[in-house]
Amino acid sequence: MNSKFIFRSILAVAVVTAASCKPELKTITPSKGSADFTRYIAVGNSLTSGFADGGLYLEGQQNAFPLMIGTQMQTVGGGTFSMPFFNANQADGSGYKKLSSFTATGDPVIVDVPAQAAIGTANVPGFGTVPLFTKYAGDLNNYGVPGIRLNNITLTYYGNLNPYFERLLPNTSPANTTSYLSFVNAKPFTFFSMWLGNNDVLGYATGGAAVAADFPTDKALFTQLYNLAASTMIKGGAGGTGAKGVVATIPDVLSTPYFTTVTLKALLTAVQASAPTVQAIFIQPGTGAPRPATAEDYFLLPLKAANLIGKPNGAGLPYGLHPGNPVESKYVLDKAEAAVVADYTNSYNATIKSVAAANGLALVDANALLKVYGAGKVVNGAAVSGAYITGNLFSLDGIHLTPFGYAIVANEFIKSINSQYGSSIPTVDVTKYRGVKFP
């Protein structure tokens, strides 16, 4: 990166700010159509919770897309939408990443903001030590739990392992025995959104396929559990009389900045500035011996922050520049591993679309949506793309969205609901939401 990086970044924010003065205006007569939004609940993972910048914190929660939808639903008879907010004294929540400055060459300097809501740890027999966050015990409509996979939703012990889920449950780990699916269905509701499945392949991808336990959920099991989740949700919870809902496909994680920012070309260019004879970056693939990387391999975003390229090991071999000291598997998703990610993503999304159609649910094709905006688009005069930091669609972790990105998603959900159920929930003005926050 160079000084142009800073210029483009500032320009992008300026465009967003300027565009906020001239929102797109439409005349809408609110109607609920055939749906009932009296009690809307949101089921999902980090994307549903408002997770951003590598953490869950108050400002991110305040810009969660289900909160935007729930607020807009109130114009057509929707009820209060309650979020499990961290309190003001613990606004930094689990901690998150913050853009603090730029280097002289224009590279972003990103620092970690420490957690404020961590209150200790618990020992879970058979699993080890897990962190604990301050409990939330108020009304709840957003059930988003960062990290949850679809194959976790029926596990009765899962609430002891995931601190984001544990903070919503009445008991302290390891005393919880309620599965996620049972928890979200414990009270009646009339409408739901369900965006699950991302984490069933995400951990495998972001970890460079280096951990066997992160392998994607079996396709047949995914189909079984997604059918179970949908058939349960449409009953409307305990004491309910049925619910309508909307579901979403999972994004193509390989098109996010986490996988597209650090490229072979960029690495070689940086190295050749001081060592022009270097012609290859060596990687440790998932199988086989170290080999030169190709453009079909993906380097992961944390490799840049690790700043390891060229540093010698104990034998004096420069990191990544010699087959005896290759870029570690945890920083690379090789061609074969990337093919696994694409295959499972496609399979999961085929299931989601099929289940939505079979149950008469509205469908958001989030996979297609984020590709369209990631390729570059202008929204109400504001430019957005999938470029890291300058694109303003993805937050600093390179996976989760900015408030601006979540507003785009909220509108797609609203459009899908309106189309399926004949309602006229007004969309949100996306230009009221920020992109990446600059120092």
Side-chain angles (χ1 to χ4, degrees), residues 375-400:
K377 197 173 174 65
V378 175
V379 185
N380 284 3
V384 62
S385 79
Y388 188 51
I389 296 180
T390 58
N392 282 307
L393 180 63
F394 293 96
S395 68
L396 295 175
D397 59 35
I399 295 288
H400 299 89

Side-chain angles (χ1 to χ4, degrees), residues 305-348:
N307 195 28
L308 293 170
I309 298 295
K311 292 189 175 180
N313 61 9
L317 303 177
Y319 189 90
L321 307 184
H322 189 282
N325 190 15
V327 176
E328 299 158 90
S329 180
K330 66 179 182 180
Y331 292 126
V332 180
L333 194 71
D334 66 45
K335 176 184 176 181
E337 294 162 343
V340 171
V341 172
D343 178 46
Y344 276 77
T345 299
N346 291 337
S347 174
Y348 294 165

